[in-house]
Amino acid sequence: MSQESNTHRTEATMKKPFLHPSLIFFFFLTTLLPLILTVHSQPSPLPSDDSDFIRTSCNTTLYPDLCVSSLSNFSSSVHDDPTLLARAAISVTLSKALELGSYLSNVTALLKSQEENGGHPTAAAVFHDCFENLKDAVDEMRGSMKQMRDLVSTGSLESFRFQMSNVQTWLSAALTDEETCTDGFKDVQDEPRKGEVCARVDDVKKLTSNALALVNRCVDKAMH
């Protein structure tokens, strides 16, 4: 191979575009999200029996009003199946977490750029840590969704109990990561996006809590 050919190859390699983490996360959001929503949402008017099932199930959660409002469109898909309802709850939570992750990624990149130009380093570090914790939570929710889908292909009670214990563990870990996400914000002052981020993380935490409660309900009903 000639020296000129090697030179062209080296230049081509050096010119490969660099994808900013926020763009990678946005690509992840736009390509994976349609695959996540495996329980179809129906915006049409809901049968009374199905909506009653949603309300009754949501009464076992810490945030029943949020539970009903976030899951009501799934009523005609889940009917009175606790497993499908739990899957829908995880799906909704994961969707919100991905949206928040995309926003956090953009804010983190902006603050990092400002830090390089003399901005406050604490804010950039705190937002980055929150973003990393949220990414861990997203991974744990994805694991939960996979286990919930695998329930369809298994028949034994022992297998069901094992897989659901994995779902419970992952959702509990996701909730912990979300709580850790905002721990550092007490050290951040005069950052206009702090309030919005904390509020949005709090919404995701509530949805995660509800999803975990519905998973626990699903397990209880299967065991009795």
Side-chain angles (χ1 to χ4, degrees):
M1 184 178 294
S2 67
Q3 182 176 356
E4 180 181 358
S5 176
N6 285 332
T7 301
H8 286 323
R9 174 177 293 184
T10 301
E11 290 176 351
T13 301
M14 294 176 65
K15 292 179 180 179
K16 287 183 178 179
F18 172 74
L19 290 179
H20 193 277
S22 64
L23 296 179
I24 296 174
F25 197 96
F26 179 75
F27 175 80
F28 170 77
L29 171 63
T30 56
T31 57
L32 180 63
L33 189 53
L35 300 177
I36 292 168
L37 301 177
T38 54
V39 181
H40 184 56
S41 173
Q42 298 284 351
S44 56
L46 307 175
S48 177
D49 290 346
D50 293 341
S51 57
D52 286 346
F53 170 70
I54 296 283
R55 281 190 289 270
T56 300
S57 301
C58 284
N59 283 337
T60 65
T61 70
L62 289 178
Y63 311 100
D65 291 340
L66 175 63
C67 179
V68 171
S69 64
S70 64
L71 296 174
S72 59
N73 283 347
F74 291 90
S75 184
S76 58
S77 297
V78 302
H79 300 296
D80 60 350
D81 189 325
T83 302
L84 290 180
L85 182 61
R87 277 178 59 177
I90 298 170
S91 174
V92 168
T93 306
L94 183 50
S95 174
K96 286 294 184 182
L98 285 167
E99 291 175 8
L100 176 56
S102 180
Y103 172 76
L104 269 175
S105 177
N106 291 330
V107 173
T108 300
L110 177 62
L111 290 174
K112 189 67 176 177
S113 175
Q114 291 175 349
E115 178 189 351
E116 292 171 355
N117 293 311
H120 200 293
T122 301
V126 168
F127 275 83
H128 174 75
D129 289 346
C130 186
F131 174 63
E132 291 297 323
N133 279 299
L134 191 65
K135 283 202 302 183
D136 290 340
V138 165
D139 287 341
E140 288 146 0
M141 289 181 210
R142 290 174 64 196
S144 298
M145 282 297 294
K146 182 179 185 304
Q147 284 283 251
M148 294 299 289
R149 287 194 299 268
D150 288 345
L151 291 175
V152 178
S153 61
T154 62
S156 72
L157 184 61
E158 180 181 352
S159 176
F160 174 83
R161 183 185 294 114
F162 172 74
Q163 291 188 82
M164 292 302 283
S165 70
N166 286 337
V167 174
Q168 291 167 314
T169 298
W170 274 321
L171 286 179
S172 296
L175 193 57
T176 299
D177 285 325
E178 291 154 9
E179 290 170 347
T180 304
C181 183
T182 54
D183 283 350
F185 281 101
K186 61 181 180 296
D187 298 323
V188 176
Q189 305 296 329
D190 301 323
E191 170 46 56
R193 285 157 291 228
K194 171 182 174 180
E196 180 181 358
V197 169
C198 289
R200 292 179 68 170
V201 172
D202 190 57
D203 288 341
V204 173
K205 285 194 295 187
K206 290 177 179 177
L207 288 170
T208 306
S209 171
N210 284 350
L212 179 57
L214 292 175
V215 167
N216 292 340
R217 184 175 188 271
C218 178
V219 173
D220 289 343
K221 292 186 76 68
M223 296 295 107
H224 299 91

